[in-house]
Amino acid sequence: MRAKGVSHIAVCVADLDRSLHFYRDLLGLMVRLHTTQDMARRPGAESAEMYRMPRESRTVANVWFDDPDTTQPFLVLTSHPGSQVDGVPIKLDQIGISHISFEVEDVRACAEELMARGVPLAGTLDDFTDEEGVMRTFFVYDPDGILVQFDQGPGR
Protein backbone atom coordinates (compact mmCIF):
# COMPACT_ATOMS: atom_id res chain seq x y z
CA MET A 1 0.00 0.00 0.00
CA ARG A 2 1.13 3.53 -0.69
CA ALA A 3 -0.69 6.72 0.25
CA LYS A 4 -1.11 9.10 -2.69
CA GLY A 5 -1.43 12.35 -0.77
CA VAL A 6 -3.31 14.23 1.94
CA SER A 7 -6.96 14.67 0.93
CA HIS A 8 -8.15 16.88 3.78
CA ILE A 9 -7.47 18.05 7.32
CA ALA A 10 -10.42 18.16 9.72
CA VAL A 11 -10.58 20.68 12.55
CA CYS A 12 -13.35 20.57 15.16
CA VAL A 13 -14.24 24.13 16.20
CA ALA A 14 -16.37 25.62 18.94
CA ASP A 15 -18.12 28.19 16.74
CA LEU A 16 -18.23 27.54 13.00
CA ASP A 17 -19.25 31.10 12.07
CA ARG A 18 -16.32 32.54 14.02
CA SER A 19 -13.93 30.07 12.36
CA LEU A 20 -15.35 30.83 8.91
CA HIS A 21 -14.69 34.51 9.54
CA PHE A 22 -11.03 33.63 10.14
CA TYR A 23 -10.40 31.01 7.43
CA ARG A 24 -12.75 32.37 4.74
CA ASP A 25 -12.96 36.11 5.35
CA LEU A 26 -9.44 36.83 6.65
CA LEU A 27 -7.37 34.14 4.90
CA GLY A 28 -9.39 34.07 1.67
CA LEU A 29 -10.25 30.38 1.56
CA MET A 30 -13.39 29.48 -0.41
CA VAL A 31 -16.31 27.51 1.05
CA ARG A 32 -17.35 24.71 -1.31
CA LEU A 33 -19.66 22.87 1.08
CA HIS A 34 -21.58 24.10 4.12
CA THR A 35 -24.17 21.71 5.50
CA THR A 36 -25.56 20.11 8.63
CA GLN A 37 -25.41 16.32 8.70
CA ASP A 38 -27.47 13.85 10.72
CA MET A 39 -24.94 11.82 12.72
CA ALA A 40 -27.07 8.68 12.46
CA ARG A 41 -26.05 8.56 8.80
CA ARG A 42 -22.31 9.10 9.41
CA PRO A 43 -20.03 6.03 9.38
CA GLY A 44 -18.60 5.45 12.84
CA ALA A 45 -20.69 8.18 14.46
CA GLU A 46 -21.72 5.91 17.34
CA SER A 47 -18.18 4.64 17.91
CA ALA A 48 -16.64 5.53 21.25
CA GLU A 49 -13.31 5.09 19.47
CA MET A 50 -13.97 8.10 17.22
CA TYR A 51 -16.23 10.42 19.25
CA ARG A 52 -15.93 11.38 22.88
CA MET A 53 -19.71 11.45 23.27
CA PRO A 54 -22.74 10.78 21.06
CA ARG A 55 -23.71 13.71 18.82
CA GLU A 56 -27.03 14.21 17.01
CA SER A 57 -25.66 16.32 14.18
CA ARG A 58 -22.62 18.12 12.93
CA THR A 59 -22.23 21.17 10.77
CA VAL A 60 -19.47 20.98 8.21
CA ALA A 61 -17.77 23.59 6.05
CA ASN A 62 -15.20 22.45 3.50
CA VAL A 63 -12.85 25.32 2.72
CA TRP A 64 -10.46 25.32 -0.21
CA PHE A 65 -7.85 27.54 -1.76
CA ASP A 66 -9.36 29.76 -4.45
CA ASP A 67 -7.67 27.81 -7.25
CA PRO A 68 -9.74 25.17 -9.06
CA ASP A 69 -6.56 23.40 -10.22
CA THR A 70 -4.96 23.02 -6.79
CA THR A 71 -4.02 19.56 -5.61
CA GLN A 72 -3.51 20.76 -2.05
CA PRO A 73 -5.67 19.33 0.73
CA PHE A 74 -8.72 21.24 1.92
CA LEU A 75 -9.86 21.98 5.46
CA VAL A 76 -12.99 20.43 6.92
CA LEU A 77 -14.26 22.66 9.73
CA THR A 78 -16.80 20.88 11.92
CA SER A 79 -18.97 21.94 14.83
CA HIS A 80 -21.77 20.27 16.73
CA PRO A 81 -24.80 22.56 17.02
CA GLY A 82 -26.59 22.40 20.33
CA SER A 83 -23.70 20.72 22.15
CA GLN A 84 -20.36 22.06 23.22
CA VAL A 85 -17.04 20.56 22.27
CA ASP A 86 -14.26 20.26 24.79
CA GLY A 87 -10.50 20.09 24.76
CA VAL A 88 -7.68 22.57 24.41
CA PRO A 89 -5.36 23.29 21.49
CA ILE A 90 -1.86 21.89 21.83
CA LYS A 91 1.55 23.52 21.46
CA LEU A 92 4.32 22.58 19.05
CA ASP A 93 6.00 20.21 21.52
CA GLN A 94 2.93 18.09 22.34
CA ILE A 95 1.64 14.92 20.70
CA GLY A 96 -0.94 15.54 18.00
CA ILE A 97 -1.36 17.79 15.01
CA SER A 98 0.10 20.96 16.42
CA HIS A 99 -0.61 23.52 13.70
CA ILE A 100 -1.67 24.32 10.15
CA SER A 101 0.75 26.21 7.89
CA PHE A 102 0.01 28.45 4.91
CA GLU A 103 2.43 29.71 2.28
CA VAL A 104 2.25 33.46 1.61
CA GLU A 105 4.10 35.83 -0.74
CA ASP A 106 5.11 38.45 1.83
CA VAL A 107 5.39 37.12 5.37
CA ARG A 108 5.81 40.48 7.12
CA ALA A 109 2.96 42.15 5.20
CA CYS A 110 0.70 39.20 6.06
CA ALA A 111 1.61 39.46 9.76
CA GLU A 112 0.96 43.18 9.81
CA GLU A 113 -2.38 42.82 8.03
CA LEU A 114 -3.60 40.06 10.35
CA MET A 115 -2.53 42.04 13.43
CA ALA A 116 -4.34 45.12 12.09
CA ARG A 117 -7.46 42.98 11.76
CA GLY A 118 -7.23 41.87 15.41
CA VAL A 119 -5.70 38.41 14.97
CA PRO A 120 -3.39 37.67 17.93
CA LEU A 121 0.21 36.71 17.16
CA ALA A 122 1.72 33.77 19.05
CA GLY A 123 4.53 36.00 20.25
CA THR A 124 5.80 39.34 18.95
CA LEU A 125 7.05 40.44 15.54
CA ASP A 126 10.57 40.45 17.04
CA ASP A 127 10.17 36.78 17.99
CA PHE A 128 9.87 35.93 14.28
CA THR A 129 12.46 38.35 12.90
CA ASP A 130 16.07 37.18 12.44
CA GLU A 131 19.28 39.15 13.07
CA GLU A 132 19.15 40.64 9.54
CA GLY A 133 15.61 41.92 10.09
CA VAL A 134 14.05 39.25 7.87
CA MET A 135 10.80 37.53 8.80
CA ARG A 136 10.44 34.10 7.16
CA THR A 137 7.62 32.75 9.29
CA PHE A 138 5.21 33.63 12.09
CA PHE A 139 2.36 32.06 14.03
CA VAL A 140 -1.06 33.34 15.05
CA TYR A 141 -3.97 31.82 16.94
CA ASP A 142 -7.22 30.98 15.18
CA PRO A 143 -10.50 31.66 17.06
CA ASP A 144 -10.13 28.39 19.03
CA GLY A 145 -6.51 29.03 19.96
CA ILE A 146 -5.10 26.61 17.37
CA LEU A 147 -1.69 27.64 16.09
CA VAL A 148 -1.63 28.74 12.45
CA GLN A 149 1.71 29.33 10.75
CA PHE A 150 2.51 31.49 7.72
CA ASP A 151 5.77 31.11 5.83
CA GLN A 152 7.50 31.61 2.50
CA GLY A 153 6.86 28.06 1.40
CA PRO A 154 9.28 25.26 0.68
CA GLY A 155 12.64 26.14 -0.78
CA ARG A 156 12.43 29.93 -0.42
Side-chain angles (χ1 to χ4, degrees):
M1 183 203 81
R2 189 175 135 189
K4 294 176 9 178
V6 175
S7 73
H8 68 275
I9 300 162
V11 180
C12 185
V13 300
D15 182 328
L16 188 57
D17 289 333
R18 211 173 50 168
S19 291
L20 283 173
H21 172 69
F22 180 79
Y23 289 99
R24 178 193 60 211
D25 302 339
L26 296 180
L27 302 188
L29 298 176
M30 182 176 66
V31 176
R32 289 197 186 164
L33 171 77
H34 189 176
T35 187
T36 299
Q37 302 168 333
D38 180 5
M39 292 300 283
R41 297 174 186 251
R42 299 279 315 146
E46 297 301 319
S47 171
E49 301 298 320
M50 292 176 47
Y51 289 87
R52 204 172 167 115
M53 60 185 287
R55 307 284 182 173
E56 291 183 23
S57 64
R58 77 176 189 163
T59 300
V60 178
N62 291 354
V63 293
W64 297 70
F65 295 98
D66 192 13
D67 177 357
D69 298 324
T70 188
T71 59
Q72 294 187 20
F74 61 95
L75 291 179
V76 178
L77 303 176
T78 65
S79 66
H80 296 276
S83 69
Q84 286 195 316
V85 295
D86 63 350
V88 294
I90 65 171
K91 300 294 182 191
L92 298 178
D93 60 349
Q94 294 178 288
I95 293 173
I97 297 173
S98 62
H99 68 285
I100 300 167
S101 185
F102 295 100
E103 179 180 344
V104 295
E105 282 295 320
D106 185 332
V107 174
R108 183 173 296 279
C110 180
E112 290 170 353
E113 180 178 346
L114 288 173
M115 288 177 12
R117 296 177 114 195
V119 177
L121 281 182
T124 67
L125 287 178
D126 288 341
D127 292 334
F128 302 109
T129 304
D130 67 17
E131 304 80 40
E132 289 83 39
V134 178
M135 178 184 259
R136 290 181 179 84
T137 188
F138 71 96
F139 287 81
V140 300
Y141 295 106
D142 85 350
D144 288 294
I146 296 169
L147 287 167
V148 178
Q149 180 183 17
F150 298 87
D151 62 34
Q152 300 172 334
R156 284 186 32 203

